[in-house]
Amino acid sequence: MESVPQRKTILSGMQPSGELTIGHIAGALRNWVRLQTEFDSLFCVVDQHAITARQVPADLRRRTLDLAAMYIAAGVEPEKSVIFIQSTVPEHSQLAWVLTCLTGMGECSRMTQFKDKSERHSDNINVGLFTYPILMAADILLYNADLVPVGEDQKQHLELARNLAERFNHHYSPTFTVPDPFIPEVGGRIMSLQEPERKMSKSDPNRNASIFLTDTDDQIRTKIRRAVTDSGSEIRYDETGRPGISNLMSLLNVATGQSFAEIESSFANVTGYASFKEAVGEALVSYIAPIRDRFLEIRADEERLRSILRDGAEAARGRARKTLRKVYKKTGFVDLTEK
Ligand code: TRP
């Protein structure tokens, strides 16, 4: 009956921790928007992952809705993609438990992100931080995602998801699709404007280091003008030798789509960074302003946003429930709905 080949499924998610920056758009959203036309797409706000760090409840609630609104403002369309909040689909935690019982302690303790995070937050090394990648595996495997768009830093987590899928399939019978990471070509990494050797972080205490989605046009221009650059005066891409200028070039690439080679040739006769910075500032303003305005508009109509997320949860749950039912059955749990 099915003459049309089934589209592949992608799933990705972001944590609602910290404020929204251009890094979210450059690193992930830009990509999701492109992918949603080609793939069966699910995009999740992973609020359950966020509580592995301590959260103020009201802030978490607001940021969860903010992040979902940002997905939409950046161009993820509820008509094309399933947009939902992780905690509204209880099957994620339910599958995570089954997978937890298939995971070795050693597998979790090897995770470099766990090691990093437990060093940075030595006052709160909770078990959730430890089992975080298992919940992420559940997010992915519940929907039989073929591809998972993530950054390089998530590759190890994805490897665990693959291993768990294979382990379950082997131990019981074929159930899960073994997912592949889908890592975009370079260009997505946006660095701090003040310390361009470090990633731009939503939680950087120096507000001049990041471009926030809610910055005004003038704030954007000022931050770019004040961005730390390197000694020299040429506009040339060299991530290690000239991290400051290279980062501004990445931002210009995000805003205009111009390649580094194109940027270099159009600024070949320019000496000094001032006019380059002006150009980057203006391009960013033109790029961010419509996204910011759409974000504010979506956020002003919370009823509509909630309704989109309710529809997303329902669509996601329909699919998640089917997978979980199979998993429970194979695991040996009693199904009381069966006659
Ligand atoms: N761990 C991911 C990150 O911090 C977020 C995440 C959670 C995720 N579940 C996911 C990403 C499932 C992709 C698929 O970036």
Side-chain angles (χ1 to χ4, degrees):
M1 289 287 280
E2 259 181 37
S3 55
V4 190
Q6 267 242 308
R7 292 194 303 169
K8 288 195 169 179
T9 299
I10 61 169
L11 176 136
S12 196
M14 280 192 246
Q15 291 194 52
S17 48
E19 283 182 73
L20 308 173
T21 73
I22 181 130
H24 287 98
I25 302 177
L29 286 171
R30 220 166 31 128
N31 228 11
W32 296 3
V33 170
R34 273 198 296 261
L35 295 172
Q36 68 179 342
T37 54
E38 196 183 328
F39 295 99
D40 163 40
S41 312
L42 300 112
F43 299 113
C44 183
V45 177
V46 293
D47 55 345
Q48 290 177 288
H49 279 106
I51 63 165
T52 55
R54 246 161 236 142
Q55 301 290 338
V56 176
D59 289 348
L60 178 61
R61 213 174 339 264
R62 176 179 52 81
R63 285 185 179 140
T64 300
L65 294 171
D66 281 351
L67 186 55
M70 190 192 195
Y71 288 3
I72 301 166
V76 178
E77 295 172 43
E79 297 77 22
K80 291 187 182 146
S81 303
V82 179
I83 304 169
F84 68 106
I85 302 169
Q86 186 184 36
S87 65
T88 64
V89 181
E91 285 78 5
H92 290 242
S93 340
Q94 294 175 301
L95 178 59
W97 178 252
V98 176
L99 297 178
T100 298
C101 299
L102 292 172
T103 308
M105 290 290 286
E107 290 182 289
C108 283
S109 48
R110 269 200 296 282
M111 295 288 158
T112 52
Q113 196 165 77
F114 169 69
K115 289 191 256 180
D116 286 352
K117 284 190 182 174
S118 38
E119 261 171 43
R120 275 189 286 133
H121 307 281
S122 54
D123 57 326
N124 181 18
I125 308 177
N126 60 77
V127 179
L129 201 59
F130 189 68
T131 59
Y132 175 114
I134 308 177
L135 178 59
M136 177 165 162
D139 298 340
I140 297 164
L141 301 186
L142 259 187
Y143 304 98
N144 286 305
D146 299 281
L147 295 169
V148 184
V150 280
E152 195 66 39
D153 63 329
Q154 296 298 313
K155 241 176 132 170
Q156 200 185 18
H157 291 165
L158 217 88
E159 198 55 42
L160 178 71
R162 293 172 55 86
N163 290 338
L164 288 174
E166 278 165 359
R167 194 168 303 157
F168 191 95
N169 291 349
H170 180 79
H171 195 76
Y172 300 98
S173 58
T175 309
F176 294 122
T177 302
V178 180
D180 281 307
F182 195 72
I183 296 172
E185 339 80 75
V186 281
R189 239 168 99 83
I190 299 299
M191 313 304 278
S192 156
L193 297 175
Q194 294 299 314
E195 292 169 83
E197 304 78 20
R198 289 185 23 202
K199 211 169 136 177
M200 184 183 286
S201 159
K202 46 199 176 189
S203 40
D204 198 316
N206 182 347
R207 296 200 51 99
N208 282 326
S210 313
I211 304 265
F212 295 102
L213 178 69
T214 46
D215 282 346
T216 63
D217 293 352
D218 280 335
Q219 282 171 321
I220 296 171
R221 292 189 184 101
T222 308
K223 286 180 183 181
I224 296 297
R225 226 174 272 138
R226 293 192 187 150
V228 168
T229 43
D230 326 284
S231 56
S233 59
E234 268 176 290
I235 310 305
R236 185 163 49 77
Y237 193 83
D238 172 7
E239 227 178 80
T240 41
R242 294 159 168 257
I245 277 300
S246 302
N247 191 36
L248 293 180
M249 290 176 71
S250 297
L251 285 168
L252 192 57
N253 162 265
V254 170
T256 64
Q258 285 175 281
S259 70
F260 295 144
E262 284 165 347
I263 296 171
E264 283 171 3
S265 69
S266 62
F267 287 92
N269 301 319
V270 174
T271 44
Y273 294 146
S275 61
F276 178 64
K277 283 179 160 181
E278 287 306 308
V280 175
E282 286 316 311
L284 273 180
V285 166
S286 319
Y287 180 70
I288 295 177
I291 301 179
R292 175 190 62 217
D293 296 346
R294 226 174 301 137
F295 169 79
L296 295 173
E297 197 184 305
I298 294 162
R299 214 52 193 88
D301 186 356
E302 192 165 309
E303 219 11 78
R304 178 164 165 266
L305 178 61
R306 283 174 182 267
S307 142
I308 290 170
L309 291 168
R310 224 175 276 127
D311 291 348
E314 202 177 307
R317 259 203 110 171
R319 298 169 63 159
R321 216 181 277 126
K322 280 193 195 140
T323 309
L324 190 74
R325 195 177 299 134
K326 282 190 212 161
V327 169
Y328 270 22
K329 190 166 182 188
K330 295 185 192 199
T331 302
F333 292 165
V334 173
D335 181 357
L336 293 177
T337 66
E338 256 175 9
K339 295 269 163 57

